[in-house]
Amino acid sequence: MSVTIKDIAKLAGVSHTTVSRALNNSPLIQEETKERIRVIAEQLDYTPNYNAKSLVLDRSYNLGLFFTTLSKGTSAGFFYEAIRGVNSVIQDRYQLIVKGIDDYTSFHSITRKSFDGIIVVSQSDDDQGIIDHIAGKGIPLVVLNRPVTTAGVLNVLSDEEQGAFLAGSYLIEQGHSRIALIEGRQGFKSAQNRKDGFERAMKHYQIRVPEAYRIPGLYDLESGHKAMQQFLLLKERPTAVFCCNDEMALGAMKAISEAGMQVPGDISVVGFDDTVFAAYVTPSLTTVRRPIEQISTEGAIRLLGNIENKQHETEQLLLKTELIVRESVRSLSS
Amino acid sequence: MSVTIKDIAKLAGVSHTTVSRALNNSPLIQEETKERIRVIAEQLDYTPNYNAKSLVLDRSYNLGLFFTTLSKGTSAGFFYEAIRGVNSVIQDRYQLIVKGIDDYTSFHSITRKSFDGIIVVSQSDDDQGIIDHIAGKGIPLVVLNRPVTTAGVLNVLSDEEQGAFLAGSYLIEQGHSRIALIEGRQGFKSAQNRKDGFERAMKHYQIRVPEAYRIPGLYDLESGHKAMQQFLLLKERPTAVFCCNDEMALGAMKAISEAGMQVPGDISVVGFDDTVFAAYVTPSLTTVRRPIEQISTEGAIRLLGNIENKQHETEQLLLKTELIVRESVRSLSS
DNA sequence: CATATTTATGCACACGTTAACAATAGTCTT
DNA sequence: AAGACTATTGTTAACGTGTGCATAAATATG
């Protein structure tokens, strides 16, 4: 079996209480005693049993990192950056437990005993159920990527509506008036926000978008590809397409080139997210940058603060999005 | 505080032992008693304290999923598929703890008490340290993606050397003889394997590859881009380039088109991994498919089997790689 | 020098669960 | 009908750790 503080106690000729205090660097214990005990612990390669610690200290040392889904509609880049961001903050202090919300059949097992804090990377309003559950249990919680108003819940997200507005406005300012939209996955909040921002730009500049210029997508390459094929069948084709993420934009560009047309010569394309490959496709993709990694680091920092101060300060942090102009949009105004 | 089996016992008028047995569906307890207890547990919204369970049962309900690094050199797609694959297998039974090996300052905290099993997605020979540690502690372990010979360790990987051989051979069969190589990240086993396979193909067909035709990369877009720029400066440019992953291939294609040249008209490009975007770039990328998700599901299945049977069957599973021919290679033979 | 105070350590219990063993009542066997 | 057996439940200890309180020794106080 593994070595416990009692084993150390026996060797050091003290009680296990003293060992516990010594290893936790309690001021009650004499410095020499501490040192003697530390040496023995080291020699025996002692590791505390975290289950026992958790039981008595009422802390789990676990952080939950929950995504709306791991299997459908979450893009690899987004997922990766979110985990990276959180991981860079927590270092050694916590274990990071990654889970898809749609894998839960019941939230029953999510308790204050099993998670010291939880980060929900929320992509859908449907996540409200788990958010309410977590908040109801009094577990420190931060929700990323989607606005929530639940009391006591921290919230970090980017202003996607504004980003989409910038993208739409940019297309118009470049002289486009026949502008189509490939929407995000239905039920995803980001899909709604980006569409809203786009529509606001259209309204602001009084550009009419016919119904045939709006097609819902699934945030993946294939759906962007298919949607663009639809647009290409229209008698009056759009001169520009705003795609609600970069992957769909890439799919759309593929469809355009397969049809023997050019980006941006024949049709301009704008994406959203500024994924790593956006700068490297040909032509490079004009898109909206969303600070995913920053969102997740900020979220993690706030969560840890909240856990350690035990105070539940509610605060919403809205990070800016930014239009990144590259080569995939043609100016018609000159 | 939260409700415990003792609370239930009091209400049911039985001992807490009986409650424990009832909730674990022990055959020792009368069916009516069980049912009565279950109802009360339900009403009180009882959730077992897993730390207490862990302490006495000597199981943590945790599975570790360790990557060589989370911050440098692991591509998003790879990371995503690996987690997805493992997650799809473990469902509710375990918590999945994701970590970067390079985040560990000491492996001290990795014990049989804290992990029921561990999956190491290994990309570098440097991971041998943690593998030895885990195996030494007697924790069930499966290593993915890199061959290991440590006793008692399960191993699932794809035959990358063979894949690279196929890619190299294909280029030669298409009539290429000036073939360059953009290597993977130094220290990564995959980089070595892919290079080896490529070299074997060259040797097999007696094609000489000058030193200037080999440049080390970092597995990211930028390094592929830079490497290709180097090749373009050569007096005698290669007619084809084998890139050790798709991201570098995309970077390379970008450099080619920036130089005003065409893929595959002027230079052919082959990648490795068959990431999701490979089919959607223009021209679509000829590459080697590696069954990442299958590797991770197979690995997870074997690990669980090993944990539950408690037998440590050592076995290496080598999955096939496959050349996916698309448009990025030109045939010179016709 | 007697008492008060500080310092260092130990004792006993608690956290929530499971399990070996004991106990009780009812049933079967011959 | 006495002993053996079975079914059901309870008693108690254990897992490894932290902590309130008691204790003992050392030191300070007046």
Side-chain angles (χ1 to χ4, degrees), chain B residues 181-227:
Chain B
L181 171 69
I182 303 180
E183 303 177 15
R185 181 180 262 264
Q186 208 145 25
F188 277 40
K189 191 66 182 183
S190 60
Q192 186 63 47
N193 290 144
R194 295 172 193 188
K195 180 175 181 177
D196 288 348
F198 173 81
E199 303 284 9
R200 179 159 66 90
M202 296 304 118
K203 190 161 281 175
H204 183 257
Y205 287 93
Q206 301 183 321
I207 298 287
R208 206 183 73 81
V209 180
E211 255 331 293
Y213 276 18
R214 290 192 189 86
I215 296 183
L218 299 171
Y219 276 149
D220 62 359
L221 290 146
E222 191 188 346
S223 63
H225 186 252
K226 275 194 189 149

Side-chain angles (χ1 to χ4, degrees), chain A residues 71-110:
Chain A
S71 42
K72 339 176 246 302
T74 298
S75 80
F78 176 71
F79 185 67
Y80 178 58
E81 289 196 49
I83 293 186
R84 259 177 66 138
V86 172
N87 182 69
S88 71
V89 172
I90 62 166
Q91 295 289 0
D92 260 4
R93 301 193 279 175
Y94 294 95
Q95 313 236 54
L96 196 58
I97 295 180
V98 175
K99 220 153 207 159
I101 294 172
D102 58 349
D103 285 333
Y104 274 112
T105 52
S106 150
F107 303 145
H108 197 245
S109 64
I110 305 174

